[in-house]
Amino acid sequence: MAPHTRTFTTYDGTARAYRTEGRGEPLVVLPGGPLRDPVRLGDLGGLSAHRTLVVLPARGTGDGAAPADPASHRRDRVADVEALRAHLGLDRIDLLGHSAGGDLATLYAAAHPERVRSLVLAAPGTHAVGIGVETSDEEGDTVHHGDGAFAPEATRRALRALTAPVLVLAGGDDHGPTPAEAAALAVCFPHAELLVQAGAGHVPWADDPGGFARPVAAFLDPEVRTVTVDGVRLAYRVRGPEGAPPVVLVHGRGGDSTEWRKITAELAADRRVYALDLRGHGLSDHPGEYGFAALRDEIGGFLKALGLAGATVVGHSMGGAAACLLAQREPALIGRLVLEDAPVFFPVLPPRGPAGLPEEPVAFDWAVLDATNADLNAPDPAWREELTAVTAPTLIIGGGPTSHLPQRHLAWMAERVPDARLVTIEAGHLVHAARPREFLSALREFGV
């Protein structure tokens, strides 16, 4: 959605302008940087694809509303944020503050903790809580910074009432706040998470757009949770009653956890369903290292991290291949295995060449293609030989003659896996999307 400029009236009768851009629920954005046009924020590295950004510039920045006096500058702006919340008709707001806007967001959270649903502080200022307010000069004397508008001790006390989750995001360098200062800031909040974005500086979405937008979007989405496996942050969605038998859904190449929504809605009636975003996909990290072996280890790490050993694992295509490799290597981790139109580790003919560059933006890391194509072109022969090591009862679902995968390979796999059965649902490669009822029926008959 294209940016729009709108106006509202603050507590003191001042007309203020704000800018909106994007789609989804509103996210109030407080930009940092004195007297700079907030247009420079862009769409925060693509965050506008997930939320409607509501950008409120500083007084005196572009909208002609100068502060009454320097000492009242931050006091006025806190009141302006509250007036904007009322104008938007929101009982509680999701709030993002950058740089000096982070100080303002912190002060707003201290003044109105009941009005904050979630808080993101991106490369934030730390003066509001007294971090970095005092330093020593070359002679060892204390130097005070700031304009006297902060009352750090009072702010810290007030923040104890904040029940909202907080994400403090710092760059990996020392261009403020340093990772240590960001960690000290996070401690000031009752429920805070610290994320250091390696390779990013004071404007993290400019240095690494996706590396900024993905974790922020995951944090802001109440349906999404995250876990770190071998240094890679993985996003996932979970539904269903706690304590119910677990089912883990693993998407194919280029997909993500959202493609399982219809399946999840049905299974969650009596199962605890976990839909995972694999590395390089969805809202998970893009570490640059891909391939079936890396994905195999990732699924295994995910099951261990969440205590899901013995779960049913349903994998589509690439996700199914990785799950199959895991079932071979660590049989005890998987209770039941479902492989939906998954490749069977025979070399692809003709071999696939380099993926080239995408013609349009894609929702996954394009490097996944070359890495997994290399495995498809020349799979490790042991992967076929070790199919007999799979001990989990296995359901192989083929998409029939319209699938691009040779269905004879699936039949061959069903003969090699000790406890496997083959079901064909003529839907092409995307069985669970094209024929969800038949797909669910096959799962239920299999005991899922």
Side-chain angles (χ1 to χ4, degrees):
M1 182 179 294
H4 293 278
T5 299
R6 297 177 169 85
T7 60
F8 72 104
T9 302
T10 67
Y11 72 101
D12 61 357
T14 302
R16 295 294 316 277
Y18 65 96
R19 181 170 60 90
T20 65
E21 178 180 2
R23 60 188 181 187
E25 293 190 63
L27 171 66
V28 175
V29 178
L30 307 179
L35 303 180
R36 294 181 181 178
D37 191 335
V39 170
R40 69 191 178 90
L41 294 175
D43 69 346
L44 293 179
L47 192 57
S48 63
H50 306 276
R51 303 298 290 262
T52 297
L53 308 180
V54 181
V55 182
L56 178 64
R59 286 197 172 207
T61 304
D63 61 5
D69 60 77
S72 69
H73 182 57
R74 290 181 177 86
R75 182 180 66 247
D76 287 341
R77 291 188 68 192
V78 167
D80 287 352
V81 176
E82 174 62 5
L84 177 60
R85 179 203 62 78
H87 166 76
L88 295 172
L90 300 174
D91 182 60
R92 303 173 73 200
I93 58 174
D94 297 315
L95 186 61
L96 184 151
H98 168 244
S99 189
D103 274 321
L104 173 59
T106 299
L107 292 172
Y108 178 82
H112 303 282
E114 76 286 356
R115 295 301 189 186
V116 179
R117 188 169 71 169
S118 65
L119 176 62
V120 178
L121 301 174
T126 56
H127 290 180
V129 293
I131 298 170
V133 174
E134 295 183 351
T135 60
S136 297
D137 61 17
E138 294 180 355
E139 298 179 354
D141 295 325
T142 299
V143 178
H144 296 267
H145 300 275
D147 58 11
F150 297 117
E153 291 301 324
T155 300
R156 287 179 183 238
R157 288 195 299 271
L159 289 176
R160 295 171 189 164
L162 184 66
T163 60
V166 179
L167 175 64
V168 179
L169 192 150
D173 58 23
D174 293 335
H175 288 88
T178 65
E181 289 173 334
L185 174 61
V187 171
C188 297
F189 298 94
H191 310 285
E193 172 187 354
L194 172 66
L195 176 64
V196 176
Q197 189 178 340
H202 190 60
V203 186
W205 59 88
D207 298 319
D208 183 2
F212 174 82
R214 286 188 299 271
V216 173
F219 171 78
L220 291 171
D221 190 334
E223 294 184 356
V224 176
R225 303 182 184 184
T226 60
V227 64
T228 299
V229 174
D230 294 330
V232 178
R233 185 191 54 82
L234 302 176
Y236 65 98
R237 301 168 190 269
V238 58
R239 287 187 62 181
E242 294 187 18
V247 177
V248 177
L249 305 177
V250 188
H251 61 80
R253 188 165 72 172
D256 61 40
S257 58
T258 61
E259 70 180 48
W260 295 104
R261 279 178 171 152
K262 289 183 179 180
I263 304 303
T264 298
E266 295 292 333
L267 292 180
D270 56 4
R271 295 291 188 269
R272 184 72 165 172
V273 185
Y274 300 79
L276 170 66
D277 283 349
L278 291 169
R279 61 173 60 201
H281 295 77
L283 298 179
S284 292
D285 283 349
H286 291 189
E289 180 185 352
Y290 304 107
F292 290 163
L295 297 173
R296 170 200 64 201
D297 296 344
E298 181 164 279
I299 297 171
F302 179 80
L303 295 175
K304 294 172 186 176
L306 272 63
L308 299 177
T312 294
V313 177
V314 180
H316 172 240
S317 192
M318 176 189 74
C324 183
L325 292 178
L326 178 62
Q328 296 173 193
R329 173 167 287 195
E330 300 187 71
L333 277 181
I334 298 180
R336 286 178 175 270
L337 179 63
V338 179
L339 305 176
E340 178 197 351
D341 219 47
V344 192
F345 314 129
F346 286 99
V348 171
L349 297 174
R352 297 182 180 180
L357 296 176
E359 295 181 359
E360 298 179 356
V362 295
F364 65 99
D365 190 343
W366 196 248
V368 170
L369 295 184
D370 282 338
T372 52
N373 280 346
D375 285 337
L376 292 170
N377 290 339
D380 186 337
W383 295 348
R384 293 193 303 275
E385 296 168 2
E386 294 173 3
L387 286 172
T388 56
V390 177
T391 60
T394 301
L395 173 64
I396 301 170
I397 300 177
T402 56
S403 169
H404 69 276
L405 293 183
Q407 299 296 289
R408 67 182 184 279
H409 290 173
L410 303 185
W412 183 90
M413 175 187 275
E415 294 176 354
R416 298 304 186 277
V417 175
D419 186 6
R421 69 181 76 170
L422 173 63
V423 171
T424 298
I425 300 174
E426 296 191 1
H429 188 54
L430 297 170
V431 182
H432 70 274
R435 303 281 291 277
R437 291 189 178 279
E438 292 86 343
F439 184 81
L440 281 162
S441 178
L443 294 187
R444 291 305 195 186
E445 289 178 11
F446 183 58
V448 178

